[in-house]
Amino acid sequence: MEMDINQQVKEIKQSFRLMMDGMVASSMRNKGVEYKLNWGATLPRLKAKADEIGKNYDLAIALWKENVRECKILATMLMPADEILPEVVDIWMEQTDCQEIAEQAAFNLYQYLPFAADRAYTWMASDKELYQLCGFHILSRLFMNKQEPNERGINEFIDQALAALQGDSIMVKKAAMNAMNRFAELGLVYERLAKSALKRANLDFF
C-alpha cells in the first residue's frame, strides 16, 4: 500500500513537469512567494489532475508532506472533507506558511468540513494572519451557501470582522470585507446588522 502511494506521488510529481509554467512561477517569486519547488502549474490544470485521480485520503496525506507548491494544492483537492480528522486539519493549518496555500485549503477543503463553522470562528479570532484569512474565507463560503449563523455567531463574526477591518493586514482586511458582504447578502436583517456595525466603527463600505 505504502509502495503504491509512494509510486503515485512520484508519478504525480513527474506530471508537474508537463504543467510547468515559468511565467507563473517567476511572477510568484517576484511577489515574494517562495516555495522549495514551484512548477508554476495553473489551478485549472491542477483541478483537472485532481478530477482525474479522484478523492484519496492516503494520497492527500502523502502529497501534503512534500514541500512542493503543486503537491500541497493537489492535497487540498484530493482530501475527502468527511474523512479528515480535526487534529489533522489543525496540523495542516500549522504547517501552512503562505497565503496561496491557506486560500486553496479554505476553498478546496475547509469550507466543506462537517466542522467548518467551528474552525472558522476559532481561526478568525486567532492572532495569526493566515488563520484569520482562512476563517473569513470559510465563513464567506458558508454565507454564500445560505448557512445562517446563530445569534452568538453573528456577534462573534461582526466583532472579529470589525477588528480585522481596522487592523494592519491587507489580505485579512480583504477577506473580512468579502465575508461581511456575503453576510449582508443573507437577507435584509443581516444587511442592516452589517451596515449598522460598520457605521458604528466609521467604516462605511456599503
Side-chain angles (χ1 to χ4, degrees):
M1 176 68 183
E2 195 168 317
M3 188 61 197
D4 284 351
I5 293 292
N6 290 340
Q7 186 59 33
Q8 272 184 286
V9 169
K10 189 177 174 185
E11 287 168 8
I12 286 167
K13 285 166 77 175
Q14 286 170 346
S15 78
F16 293 149
R17 294 174 190 274
L18 302 175
M19 302 183 197
M20 191 166 134
D21 190 323
M23 284 181 68
V24 173
S26 174
S27 167
M28 286 180 182
R29 277 195 299 277
N30 292 340
K31 290 173 185 165
V33 180
E34 289 290 345
Y35 293 98
K36 183 180 175 186
L37 193 54
N38 177 1
W39 295 103
T42 61
L43 296 176
R45 293 196 75 171
L46 289 173
K47 181 72 173 71
K49 187 72 181 173
D51 290 343
E52 177 194 316
I53 297 167
K55 296 292 183 186
N56 187 319
Y57 179 91
D58 292 323
L59 185 54
I61 290 289
L63 284 168
W64 181 265
K65 290 175 182 171
E66 299 288 326
N67 193 6
V68 177
R69 168 185 174 263
E70 287 76 8
C71 286
K72 290 208 182 286
I73 294 174
L74 198 56
T76 68
M77 293 174 172
L78 295 180
M79 176 58 77
D82 56 348
E83 288 183 38
I84 189 169
L85 296 171
E87 47 268 39
V88 177
V89 170
D90 292 339
I91 290 168
W92 280 26
M93 193 66 230
E94 278 171 33
Q95 294 172 345
T96 298
D97 57 7
C98 74
Q99 181 178 353
E100 185 186 27
I101 300 299
E103 289 181 337
Q104 286 303 307
F107 296 143
N108 300 330
L109 176 62
Y110 299 155
Q111 65 161 315
Y112 302 112
L113 298 171
F115 47 92
D118 175 66
R119 279 300 178 278
Y121 283 104
T122 301
W123 292 347
M124 195 174 54
S126 168
D127 57 358
K128 297 173 184 170
E129 282 183 53
L130 292 178
Y131 280 70
Q132 292 173 34
L133 183 77
C134 271
F136 286 119
H137 278 323
I138 294 167
L139 283 181
S140 284
R141 292 300 171 123
L142 296 182
F143 295 155
M144 279 172 72
N145 292 327
K146 303 302 177 194
Q147 288 193 36
E148 298 182 28
N150 59 23
E151 189 178 346
R152 183 184 167 195
I154 289 171
N155 294 331
E156 237 176 282
F157 166 69
I158 287 176
D159 286 348
Q160 294 300 338
L162 291 180
L165 289 167
Q166 293 170 94
D168 299 323
S169 170
I170 301 296
M171 68 175 175
V172 175
K173 275 185 186 179
K174 283 183 180 173
M177 195 62 244
N178 190 44
M180 190 66 98
N181 280 320
R182 300 300 182 194
F183 175 82
E185 287 167 8
L186 283 169
L188 192 56
V189 171
Y190 295 95
E191 187 183 333
R192 285 175 178 162
L193 284 168
K195 282 183 175 176
S196 169
L198 290 168
K199 196 172 178 183
R200 282 199 310 274
N202 294 317
L203 296 163
D204 202 358
F205 289 99
F206 289 93

